Amino acid sequence: MKPLTRRTHKWKGIRKALLSLAIPALFVTASFAASPPQFGNQNVAVYSGKVAHDIDRRHPKDVIDVIVQFKVTPRALHYQKMAARGATLKTKLHSINAAAFTLPVSALSAMEKDADILYVTPDRAVSLKNEYESFASAVEADVAASQYGLDGTGIGVAVIDSGVADHKDFHNASGTRVVHSESFVSGNTSAVDAYGHGTHVSGIIGGNGSASGSGTGYAQQIAGMAPNVNIINLRVLDQNGAGTDSQVIAAIQRAIALKTQYNIRVINLSLGRPVFESYTLDPLDQAVEQAWAAGIVVVVAAGNDGRDNSQGTHGFATIGSPGNDPAVITVGATRTMGTATRIDDGIASYSSKGPTLLDHIVKPDVVAPGNRVGSLLVKNSTLDVEFPTLEIAPTGTCTATCATQYFRLSGTSMATPVVSGAVALMLQKDPTLTPDTVKARIMKTAWKGFGVYCKSFDAFNNEYDNQYDLFTYGAGYLDVDAALGSTDVANGVALSPTATYNSANNTVTIVNTNSVTWGTSVVWGSSVVWGTSIIWGSSVLNANSIVWGSSVVWGNTVDSGFSVVWGNSIVWGSSTATAAYSDGQDGEN
């Protein structure tokens, strides 16, 4: 499977073809989508069966890369049967009872009849999803720092991304805080960040700002959320920000295995790809659920397709995988407007919206600053070479030679590590917290003082309008100080709820989600997160007129967007991209 490029000009013909279909194209036309999928002329398919519908079976002699999920942990007999079908083992993924293989398309027929095989998916590609804005004050992190004195000491955060470069901001008196580095990129054992994305993400989590301190020429320090946290560098994306499902799953497995050694309590996934089946079958989703069940908080980017209206959905139903899983914390992006206060902040128009495709899970869970965020630069990396104007150079007087150390990027990729850093602070304060209690506290304490609508403008001054609804903002804006002050305990699993469309009265209701494999008891009860009016209470939003009213997504069954969001059909792509959710475009004005 060839990884996709990040060039948006390839989308003109694709977009034209898709507009004739009343079905969604995730990661299409949004100007922030890195490595969007290239859709072929395959038929629309309803999710069913044992073999994923985005596998092209028209050429039996073709050799493809797949992930096979078994009903039990595969043993020698299973591998022998696969070898007899012409399969070559790539990676054992036993944490989800699976393995990655290269095999001929002709083998799929026999696999469909194999009672031990649960589901077969392509080894899909994954990818990454900017003047400089500060984020700490917007999420009350500066207040939390002065009140609690927390810096992430002792907590390990696994950054599954494009690698982490050696940078002064990762060093303390004992040496580097990047305590483990390992590559899962096929054919490349180097864990160095050739793309430049993983280092930027890691800096938002745990950079200490030493390279922008006194005498460096920088007007203020550019530091991360938890400046003494330990980083576990698990590289899965290549120099172009592209990778595959099996590489990500293998890295998640490794994080679980290293949990005790490095006290890994958080996994940051600022990457994703389109949704192709229910989260109950998607191998990426199964992997993040295993990490969650192992006691690791998994924080995932929502995606950057909030501007995509190619199917009349106004960006709804564009959450990617594994952000579509109800267990994890899925993060959307806001813009801070360059001010210290959060009162004027708004959603970034590119931030992907829920509900999730097929399963209709309410996402994102929370939003955080992600627009033009300043963090660490990897000089001469792919992003730096392609977008040198995004470098944040020192402008003041230096006591030594001034050096450019920072870079700005935009996207839900940048919002995600803001939340990951906040989680590290929560776990430093109380190491006994479960992932579900962490998620519940973050969502319940999220700031909800929004208005009704907001406008935003991209770098070309195109206007985008957004309403403050559940599928855009989730539970609200991350508030670190409030989350650290919460004492609530989750007596169950904190699954994101499910949205249900009621055709009898043309309304949408929110119900508990009970299908995750590791638990059925849901902590929200009758409405611990959403308040008395499902969303944020009648004083903020009118749930009958603003959220569930005239919007194209749920207001009119004849609108094309309606069938996209609430249907169960997909355009099955001939190729997909797991990619970093940032491609260097310079944020919103």
Side-chain angles (χ1 to χ4, degrees), residues 332-348:
T334 62
R335 64 191 198 283
T336 69
M337 306 301 293
T339 65
T341 177
R342 64 188 176 188
I343 198 69
D344 61 346
D345 294 3
I347 196 72

Side-chain angles (χ1 to χ4, degrees), residues 277-335:
E277 56 267 323
S278 167
Y279 74 86
T280 62
L281 289 173
D282 188 315
L284 273 183
D285 290 310
Q286 294 306 297
V288 296
E289 286 184 19
Q290 290 302 311
W292 195 274
I296 301 174
V297 179
V298 183
V299 188
V300 186
N304 295 335
D305 287 308
R307 294 174 180 168
D308 182 5
N309 193 35
S310 61
Q311 300 301 313
T313 67
H314 298 285
F316 290 95
T318 55
I319 301 289
S321 173
N324 64 327
D325 194 282
V328 304
I329 300 174
T330 304
V331 185
T334 62
R335 64 191 198 283

